[in-house]
Amino acid sequence: MASLMCTLRDHQDDVNWCSFSARLLATCSGDKTLRIYDAHDFSELPFSPLTGHGYSVHCCCFSPCGQFLASCSTDASTLVWSMVTGDIEAVLEHPGRSPVRICALSPDSAHLVSGASDGTLALWNFPSKTLSRTGGVSDTTMAACSFSPCSQMFMTGSTYGDLRLWDLDLNHLLAEKNAHDLGVSCCSFAPSILSGGQVVQFRLASCGQDCLLKIWAISKFASGGFKMILLHTLAGQTAPVLCCAYSSDGQLLVSGSVDKSVKVYDANNAVLLYTLNQHERYVTACSFSPTSPLIATGSMDKTVNIWRLEDRYSGHGFKEESAETSCKGKATAGLSKLLVADWSERDVTEWLVEEGLEGLVDKFKANNIDGTELLSLTKETLASELGIESVGLRSKLLRKVEELKNDSVCSGIPDEFLCPITRELMRDPVIAAG
């Protein structure tokens, strides 16, 4: 079962978003403020509320380590706050000065994306707090955004009803133009990655004005192509679904609706587990705690409810961890499961350390060996170009590389991607005319 633990009644207007870190809960509202609570006893921190925005605050998100909080507003800015002092660390003014409706931080803390009511996107270098590039879609409002767990791409949803996948150069990778009739409200990547020799697959939840919550599979192939298929359509709510979020292990999925209900699902089997009815108006925000069996839900009734999951579901995705452990884990989460050809030089370095080949790190760094170069290494290049004299070391390295090439275990490949005769992955499938 799920029980109501407490209700926070500090906001003076609609609660628009809520977000957990390992130690804190942040909420934001139409009253122009953000409020910060201790995630253990839900006492408000001394520097709360945060009052830097001039208009309604639409979204807020923590950096993976919990050290910073980003928030965006109708005032056309995204603010970065210190969670140590409550001070504003940076003011990021959106290009064109359009109201900013959504913001998201990448799991590796390298990027921040903000989306505005004119359909524009701004991608920021988060460490330096500088603008990297802009893009977007005209004549629509960006209403949803979520980074993939590998941090190399992100999904947006708009009032057009489309879902669009972007890379870090703001190139379109994929578009599902009719994902939700009448508009997308929210989208959220699951934190896990299914990987194999030829394909990497992600899960995405989205919800919208069509009263539906959908679960998608997004696959990236070694050839560079992408495919998106609908796995489940959940119609458990009777009015537009405004928010959705995965638990930290991707096993549970929560959604909130205009019908005032909160639904909690088994995400893998698309089975409804709980229906929570406590809010008096639309449920606009929801978030799982990453370290305890808690869910926060926010509403237009100006309250935030904290729910505790009991019985057999209370252990899903929750483990106590220090902020330092959480930071290190999230910074590298997913990178080792990418297609090897997509690995950066840093990923290769991490792989060498994991495989007990620390002694080769300096040579690989000096020669800028990324994933593509790693796969092309031979005994000759190792000896002549990288200067690895030990025959045993060269052989060990090549064996490890061969294991990467042969790693084709991927339990998450949809049946539609497999040849019905050979059961092998179809790289460039075609549909024959009937």
Side-chain angles (χ1 to χ4, degrees):
M1 59 179 291
S3 59
L4 181 62
M5 181 177 171
C6 64
T7 298
L8 308 175
R9 304 180 185 275
D10 299 304
H11 282 297
Q12 303 303 308
D13 205 336
D14 302 349
V15 176
N16 294 326
W17 204 273
C18 56
S19 179
F20 272 107
S21 72
R23 296 180 176 179
L24 303 175
L25 170 68
T27 64
C28 63
S29 168
D31 65 10
K32 309 177 188 178
T33 72
L34 298 101
R35 291 186 178 269
I36 313 299
Y37 302 90
D38 186 302
H40 295 290
D41 61 8
F42 295 98
S43 59
E44 194 165 5
L45 268 59
F47 58 70
S48 178
L50 307 179
T51 58
H53 284 292
Y55 293 95
S56 177
V57 187
H58 297 291
C59 179
C60 60
C61 54
F62 283 101
S63 63
C65 298
Q67 184 178 358
F68 300 103
L69 179 74
S71 62
C72 62
S73 166
T74 301
D75 64 14
S77 72
T78 301
L79 302 184
V80 179
W81 308 82
S82 167
M83 288 295 97
V84 176
T85 64
D87 295 334
I88 296 175
E89 295 284 328
V91 178
L92 310 178
E93 295 187 356
H94 198 83
R97 299 294 297 165
S98 183
V100 184
R101 304 306 298 268
I102 193 73
C103 61
L105 273 159
S106 62
D108 64 0
S109 297
H111 308 285
L112 169 70
V113 66
S114 56
S117 60
D118 62 356
T120 58
L121 292 168
L123 185 67
W124 306 84
N125 180 299
F126 188 67
S128 66
K129 313 298 188 294
T130 57
L131 183 64
S132 298
R133 51 187 56 85
T134 59
V137 181
S138 60
D139 301 323
T140 189
T141 294
M142 288 296 175
C145 183
S146 179
F147 265 96
S148 65
C150 65
S151 299
Q152 294 188 356
M153 62 196 82
F154 60 91
M155 186 72 76
T156 61
S158 81
T159 52
Y160 269 161
D162 63 317
L163 290 167
R164 294 178 182 270
L165 188 66
W166 309 76
D167 65 15
L168 297 179
D169 292 319
L170 294 189
N171 297 314
H172 278 141
L173 301 176
L174 190 67
E176 185 71 27
K177 295 185 177 180
N178 298 301
H180 289 277
D181 190 25
L182 303 178
V184 176
S185 303
C186 186
C187 65
S188 176
F189 270 102
S192 56
I193 302 174
L194 299 172
S195 65
Q198 301 297 327
V199 65
V200 171
Q201 189 180 103
F202 307 89
R203 292 285 191 272
L204 178 88
S206 67
C207 58
Q209 299 297 320
D210 55 4
C211 312
L212 300 175
L213 175 65
K214 297 183 177 182
I215 301 175
W216 309 81
I218 301 167
S219 296
K220 179 183 179 182
F221 298 95
S223 61
F226 289 83
K227 184 174 181 179
M228 182 172 176
I229 62 171
L230 180 62
L231 296 180
H232 304 289
T233 298
L234 304 174
Q237 285 159 315
T238 59
V241 185
L242 301 182
C243 56
C244 61
Y246 274 100
S247 61
S248 59
D249 66 350
Q251 300 299 306
L252 301 178
L253 181 63
V254 63
S255 64
S257 170
V258 169
D259 68 8
K260 308 176 189 177
S261 74
V262 175
K263 303 282 186 178
V264 183
Y265 297 90
D266 178 326
N268 290 327
N269 300 306
V271 174
L272 178 64
L273 302 177
Y274 309 117
T275 298
L276 311 177
N277 294 300
Q278 190 70 30
H279 286 293
E280 297 177 359
R281 295 193 65 196
Y282 305 170
V283 181
T284 53
C286 57
S287 178
F288 278 97
S289 167
T291 56
S292 57
L294 301 177
I295 300 173
T297 59
S299 168
M300 291 178 68
D301 63 12
K302 306 177 187 178
T303 70
V304 176
N305 284 334
I306 309 299
W307 306 87
R308 176 175 290 278
L309 300 181
E310 309 293 347
D311 60 50
R312 61 195 179 102
Y313 295 106
S314 63
H316 271 297
F318 313 112
K319 60 180 180 179
E320 295 295 334
E321 56 185 4
S322 68
E324 181 180 1
T325 302
S326 175
C327 173
K328 291 180 179 179
K330 291 181 180 179
T332 59
L335 293 177
S336 63
K337 292 187 176 181
L338 292 171
L339 294 175
V340 179
D342 289 337
W343 284 8
S344 65
E345 293 176 25
R346 178 181 175 181
D347 298 332
V348 172
T349 296
E350 291 176 358
W351 175 78
L352 287 172
V353 173
E354 290 174 1
E355 297 295 340
L357 298 169
E358 298 91 337
L360 298 178
V361 168
D362 290 341
K363 289 183 182 292
F364 273 55
K365 284 184 176 180
N367 289 273
N368 305 111
I369 303 297
D370 58 13
T372 301
E373 295 297 327
L374 178 68
L375 294 177
S376 65
L377 291 176
T378 65
K379 288 184 179 180
E380 290 73 23
T381 56
L382 290 176
S384 61
E385 297 182 26
L386 270 67
I388 300 175
E389 298 179 357
S390 169
V391 175
L393 187 56
R394 291 200 302 267
S395 297
K396 180 180 179 180
L397 175 60
L398 291 175
R399 283 197 305 272
K400 296 294 185 181
V401 172
E402 196 62 30
E403 289 175 7
L404 289 176
K405 293 179 181 179
N406 294 332
D407 180 17
S408 58
V409 177
C410 180
S411 60
I413 300 177
D415 193 65
E416 293 90 336
F417 296 170
L418 301 176
C419 172
I421 299 174
T422 66
R423 306 307 294 165
E424 295 179 351
L425 183 69
M426 297 184 292
R427 294 199 177 188
D428 297 297
V430 297
I431 299 177

